[in-house]
Amino acid sequence: MNSDNSKLIITPLGAGNEVGRSCILLQFQEKQIMFDCGIHMNKENKGVMALPYFNKIDKIEDIDLILITHFHLDHCGALPYFLKNYKFRGKIYMTTPTKEIYGLVLKDSIKVKSEDFSQDLINEQSIEQSLKNIDCIDYDQEIHYQGIKLKCYNAGHVLGAAMFMVEIDGVRVLYTGDYSTEKERHLRPAQLPLEKIHVLIVESTYGDTQHETRTKREENFLKEIVSTLNGGGNVLLPVFATGRCHELLIILDEYWSKNPQIQQFPIYSTCTLAIKCTHIFQKHYNKLGNKFQKGENLFKFNYINTKKHLQDILNNPKPKVVMASPGLLQSGHSKQIYEYWCKDEKNQVIITGPAVQGTIAHQLIHNPEPDIKIRPAQISFSAHADYLQTSSFIDSLRPQHVILVHGTQHKCRDLQKKIEINFKDIVEKVWAPENQKQVELCFQRSSVSQAGCKAIGELGNQIENFIITFQEKHNQHKIDEETVESMTDCTCCTNDLYFNGVLLNTEHGFMLVDETDKETLQQYGIEQNQIYNQMYIPLSCSLEQVFNYVQELNPEAQFHPDDSLIVVKDLEIRVPVSSVLLQFKWISSPKTDDLADSLAFFLSNVNQNKLDDEELLKDKQKGLIKVLQKTEFQTEIIDNKLNVKNKNSVIIQVDLNDLNLSVIPEETHENKNIIKRAQTIIESYLSSYI
């Protein structure tokens, strides 16, 4: 899978013409981003067959970001496996609620021994390790990482679900993941980004179909349940353990509280994970719906029983409603209850989300086996966008390109045709790629050739303060080009007029940042590492003369005569070995590098008290012996040769006449690394002279 820097390439590693194992790879301008990292949910794909096509990625170590939209397994379930088995070096982002629930969902999946998710793929240890590598991002927060601008928006699918917008070199791509613009009791609808979007990667779960109105669906849902209960049957509601479960519990409890005639029928929830997650929902009330904002606690249930064991529920002869996970009947409690009730025509199962192909739920809806008597119904509360929501989204965002994922081939093709017809004047092209099929889009590199740059961070504050001071001094209310030119003629301002910093060529143009402004530099993906330099120079003048010169360059320099030491910020100058050698030690930066270079040039041109070759040679000899004495090696001088010894065995000889060294034949020594270390120390010391 090769990446041409001039092309934006999008490749579904999963969710291409299918629902499940969402994993989309984006490549552009030498950047790589993975959207989601899920597993497949149907029974045909088990073990490694449930994973995305990771083997199609050329260099996994070059992936910059993994962005997880929400905590459902088909969007995050493969992440622990991926991190354990591949050399990923980038960053992983998801919202805080997603991270908190992600760990619970994955641990629950291995406890219930889900048929669709082999325990060989992940374990509790790999889940815990993955949690250590995850960073959190909040809605509307903007992050800059390695030249990538990242922002996320509320997706309205489940608590913490996010749509991610990434911007590289001025090109903006929005990945929706699973999203919904429909109002719910416990969630706010998806947020519409205000930025211009060039590429929209959008789910197509429901293709070109339209949901019934929310009111009508709730009415049908409750009508089906009450009818079955009054007829002496039981109702099974398979749900995913978090998200839809909470919404349906609120609907049922609200309806039961208003209708005393049905309160004789118990409602059970075996979704223990949902109950565990309720405190997380309550903690993040600011991300929930309007009723929570007003202080209502919709999770305080009066008619929901969550403490019964499964066998006790099944043994209760009363007609009842049971909510159980998972939502596709592929394993766990929902499958056990289904198998217990499926031969009785009085009973009913209501599928409340999309029935993924290859699952029991799909077969039950579309092609039930002859001996299955339970009555199936599908009334969706899945919080996936239908055609009306998607078309409204496209109309508002007006993207150049639309890429359809997370839908069966039939649904993707139907939606593709409808968008092409209805948005031919807005969208250049609509794509519905299969897994491993690349979509290649051409975008010209944005021009940053315009003159000038923008000062940001601390440097921007300094310039702003200077302008305010200038305005106050000169009674100026407006700063224009003429005013700026006049600043150079102002004697009281000239000294403060010049600013310097690190010039960054970013996707937003040239930015000037103060080199010490670590926080701003990190926002643009620049990590500051300290590099320590050292240099020795023959001292051919007094230390006081050196100090006077340094003070001219930097008035903050300090002189400590007793310690033969001159100190400037991030730079030390001392005479550590003899009275004729000057040692520089400094932390590398543009300022200190310039200061060290300037001082070296000054010393090399001083004509007073120049050292002769013999005096300099003796100084080097003394310095070398002192350096070696600070290590684990022993030294002795015999016949004007310096023997360097390890455990009383000579390993290197240095001829003191010309400081050339020779290594004693290696076969006489056990450890070649020790010899190499001694050799490196000697050569490094001798090469530090100029």
Side-chain angles (χ1 to χ4, degrees):
M1 193 177 294
N2 297 317
S3 175
D4 183 340
N5 291 342
S6 65
K7 295 178 180 177
L8 188 151
I9 301 174
I10 293 169
T11 312
L13 304 176
N17 284 193
E18 64 177 2
V19 177
R21 60 175 163 195
S22 287
C23 187
I24 312 297
L25 185 67
L26 181 152
Q27 297 166 288
F28 186 50
Q29 302 291 8
E30 299 184 351
K31 308 296 181 188
Q32 293 195 65
I33 299 167
M34 182 187 287
F35 296 107
D36 282 332
C37 191
I39 53 111
H40 221 308
M41 303 299 290
N42 69 26
K43 60 186 178 183
E44 280 94 22
N45 293 289
K46 297 180 182 179
V48 294
M49 297 299 291
L51 295 170
Y53 294 94
F54 296 136
N55 60 314
K56 299 300 178 182
I57 306 173
D58 282 342
K59 292 183 178 179
I60 286 177
E61 63 271 19
D62 289 345
I63 295 176
D64 299 283
L65 292 171
I66 296 178
L67 307 176
I68 303 295
T69 58
H70 62 286
F71 51 70
H72 284 156
L73 292 178
D74 60 324
H75 291 260
C76 69
L79 185 60
Y81 176 90
F82 180 81
L83 297 179
K84 181 181 177 182
N85 292 278
Y86 296 96
K87 294 180 180 178
F88 172 71
R89 299 170 183 169
K91 281 185 172 286
I92 306 165
Y93 283 103
M94 58 179 70
T95 65
T96 302
T98 298
K99 182 177 180 180
E100 291 177 0
I101 299 176
Y102 157 89
L104 296 174
V105 170
L106 264 72
K107 289 175 185 177
D108 184 69
S109 73
I110 58 177
K111 285 178 183 175
V112 299
K113 301 181 180 179
S114 174
E115 290 180 9
D116 53 86
F117 195 30
S118 170
Q119 285 184 289
D120 294 335
L121 295 181
I122 67 169
N123 53 38
E124 197 155 332
Q125 184 179 1
S126 65
I127 296 169
E128 287 293 338
Q129 189 59 41
S130 71
L131 283 164
K132 295 177 183 177
N133 293 313
I134 294 169
D135 290 306
C136 292
I137 183 172
D138 203 357
Y139 296 149
D140 298 312
Q141 181 182 357
E142 188 175 297
I143 291 175
H144 294 262
Y145 178 74
Q146 305 286 23
I148 302 168
K149 178 181 172 183
L150 166 66
K151 198 171 181 181
C152 83
Y153 306 88
N154 172 37
H157 178 63
V158 291
L159 174 67
M163 301 183 291
F164 284 101
M165 186 198 74
V166 296
E167 183 176 335
I168 303 170
D169 201 30
V171 177
R172 286 180 287 277
V173 179
L174 180 69
Y175 174 70
T176 65
D178 295 349
Y179 81 107
S180 172
T181 61
E182 186 174 74
K183 290 183 179 179
E184 294 194 346
R185 284 167 172 76
H186 84 292
L187 287 177
R188 287 181 286 170
Q191 183 180 357
L192 183 71
L194 299 178
E195 293 88 347
K196 164 67 179 173
I197 300 298
H198 300 96
V199 182
L200 175 65
I201 307 174
V202 63
E203 69 155 311
S204 51
T205 311
Y206 286 100
D208 65 344
T209 61
Q210 298 178 22
H211 298 321
E212 286 187 304
T213 65
R214 176 66 180 233
T215 303
K216 186 66 175 176
R217 275 178 284 151
E218 286 190 19
E219 183 182 311
N220 291 340
F221 174 67
L222 295 166
K223 183 179 178 180
E224 289 282 351
I225 291 174
V226 172
S227 175
T228 300
L229 294 174
N230 286 331
N234 302 297
V235 180
L236 171 61
L237 302 176
V239 292
F240 290 105
T242 49
R244 295 307 86 207
C245 178
H246 289 87
E247 183 74 8
L248 295 177
L249 286 174
I250 294 170
I251 292 172
L252 290 172
D253 195 71
E254 186 180 283
Y255 187 77
W256 252 243
S257 65
K258 294 177 181 178
N259 295 275
Q261 71 276 14
I262 60 168
Q263 292 172 5
Q264 59 177 310
F265 302 120
I267 304 171
Y268 297 105
S269 173
T270 69
C271 303
T272 54
L273 179 59
I275 304 306
K276 286 181 184 177
C277 292
T278 298
H279 77 281
I280 299 175
F281 278 66
Q282 291 171 328
K283 182 170 72 172
H284 297 286
Y285 71 92
N286 61 322
K287 291 180 171 61
L288 297 174
N290 290 332
K291 288 188 176 182
F292 285 88
Q293 304 296 315
K294 296 174 182 177
E296 292 186 43
N297 184 2
L298 299 183
F299 297 134
K300 186 178 181 181
F301 302 122
N302 296 312
Y303 297 95
I304 311 295
N305 192 320
T306 61
K307 298 180 180 179
K308 287 284 187 181
H309 293 292
L310 178 60
Q311 199 56 49
D312 294 335
I313 294 171
L314 295 175
N315 291 338
N316 185 347
K318 276 188 175 184
K320 63 192 93 39
V321 179
V322 181
M323 191 176 295
S325 64
L328 300 174
L329 300 171
Q330 69 270 34
S331 59
H333 283 173
S334 66
K335 184 180 180 183
Q336 293 176 48
I337 298 169
Y338 168 74
E339 290 175 343
Y340 195 79
W341 288 350
C342 67
K343 302 298 175 68
D344 189 341
E345 62 184 12
K346 289 182 180 179
N347 298 329
Q348 185 176 36
V349 56
I350 301 177
I351 306 300
T352 57
V356 177
Q357 197 166 357
T359 63
I360 295 174
H362 185 274
Q363 184 177 7
L364 182 63
I365 295 295
H366 297 283
N367 188 26
E369 295 178 1
D371 61 335
I372 300 299
K373 304 300 181 183
I374 194 170
R375 292 177 293 110
Q378 187 173 21
I379 303 173
S380 178
F381 293 91
S382 65
H384 288 273
D386 66 352
Y387 176 70
L388 282 180
Q389 295 179 48
T390 299
S391 61
S392 176
F393 221 58
I394 293 172
D395 191 46
S396 298
L397 294 174
R398 308 181 81 79
Q400 290 176 241
H401 301 274
V402 175
I403 298 173
L404 305 176
V405 296
H406 198 282
T408 63
Q409 186 178 63
H410 173 66
K411 294 292 187 185
C412 286
R413 294 293 182 266
D414 288 347
L415 182 57
Q416 181 183 24
K417 290 175 184 176
K418 204 156 188 176
I419 294 173
E420 286 173 342
I421 293 170
N422 294 338
F423 294 95
K424 60 184 178 181
D425 297 330
I426 297 174
V427 179
E428 289 182 18
K429 189 161 183 179
V430 185
W431 311 75
E434 298 176 357
N435 284 333
Q436 307 180 69
K437 299 295 183 182
Q438 293 184 348
V439 173
E440 296 185 358
L441 308 174
C442 290
F443 289 95
Q444 295 297 321
R445 188 175 180 86
S446 63
S447 172
V448 290
S449 59
Q450 294 180 342
C453 64
K454 181 180 179 181
I456 58 174
E458 292 297 325
L459 188 61
N461 294 335
Q462 291 175 31
I463 294 174
E464 187 177 343
N465 290 335
F466 168 78
I467 291 172
I468 292 171
T469 303
F470 181 87
Q471 288 175 306
E472 290 175 350
K473 283 183 179 180
H474 301 279
N475 197 26
Q476 292 277 356
H477 300 289
K478 182 182 178 182
I479 299 294
D480 52 22
E481 289 186 13
E482 187 177 337
T483 306
V484 172
E485 288 179 8
S486 70
M487 290 179 181
T488 58
D489 300 323
C490 177
T491 54
C492 64
C493 295
T494 301
N495 292 336
D496 301 321
L497 183 59
Y498 298 99
F499 300 89
N500 57 59
V502 179
L503 186 64
L504 306 180
N505 185 357
T506 76
E507 62 268 32
H508 308 293
F510 288 105
M511 302 290 180
L512 195 65
V513 184
D514 189 281
E515 64 182 31
T516 61
D517 190 353
K518 294 181 180 179
E519 184 177 344
T520 302
L521 289 171
Q522 285 174 351
Q523 289 179 2
Y524 282 86
I526 298 176
E527 298 288 340
Q528 286 187 308
N529 296 311
Q530 290 189 336
I531 300 174
Y532 291 85
N533 292 316
Q534 180 172 284
M535 178 169 57
Y536 289 89
I537 300 178
L539 179 61
S540 51
C541 64
S542 67
L543 197 57
E544 286 80 4
Q545 286 178 285
V546 176
F547 172 68
N548 291 335
Y549 181 76
V550 173
Q551 198 172 37
E552 287 181 15
L553 299 176
N554 190 327
E556 296 179 2
Q558 298 178 354
F559 183 32
H560 303 277
D562 295 340
D563 299 321
S564 299
L565 174 66
I566 300 171
V567 178
V568 193
K569 184 183 178 184
D570 296 332
L571 171 65
E572 283 188 0
I573 306 166
R574 64 168 68 240
V575 185
V577 178
S578 68
S579 59
V580 293
L581 269 186
L582 198 64
Q583 179 195 52
F584 289 32
K585 282 185 177 180
W586 73 95
I587 299 172
S588 185
S589 72
K591 289 181 181 178
T592 51
D593 288 348
D594 285 347
L595 181 57
D597 288 344
S598 178
L599 189 53
F601 180 79
F602 164 75
L603 291 171
S604 65
N605 286 280
V606 172
N607 294 318
Q608 299 178 8
N609 305 320
K610 290 187 178 178
L611 297 170
D612 57 28
D613 291 341
E614 184 178 349
E615 189 176 7
L616 184 57
L617 178 62
K618 288 180 180 178
D619 191 74
K620 287 183 179 180
Q621 293 169 355
K622 291 178 185 176
L624 178 59
I625 293 170
K626 281 202 171 189
V627 167
L628 289 168
Q629 286 174 345
K630 294 178 180 179
T631 68
E632 71 269 30
F633 303 112
Q634 303 87 45
T635 60
E636 64 176 2
I637 299 176
I638 300 176
D639 297 332
N640 212 31
K641 292 185 185 296
L642 177 65
N643 292 328
V644 181
K645 301 180 355 181
N646 179 56
K647 297 180 180 178
N648 297 318
S649 178
V650 178
I651 57 174
I652 291 178
Q653 281 188 337
V654 181
D655 190 333
L656 294 178
N657 294 316
D658 53 15
L659 296 180
N660 287 327
L661 61 88
S662 56
V663 178
I664 305 301
E666 294 180 358
E667 58 266 24
T668 61
H669 304 287
E670 296 178 358
N671 197 336
K672 295 180 182 179
N673 289 333
I674 293 176
I675 299 171
K676 185 67 177 174
R677 171 170 160 70
Q679 188 177 358
T680 301
I681 291 171
I682 296 168
E683 290 176 346
S684 297
Y685 171 77
L686 295 176
S687 65
S688 66
Y689 280 81
I690 66 169

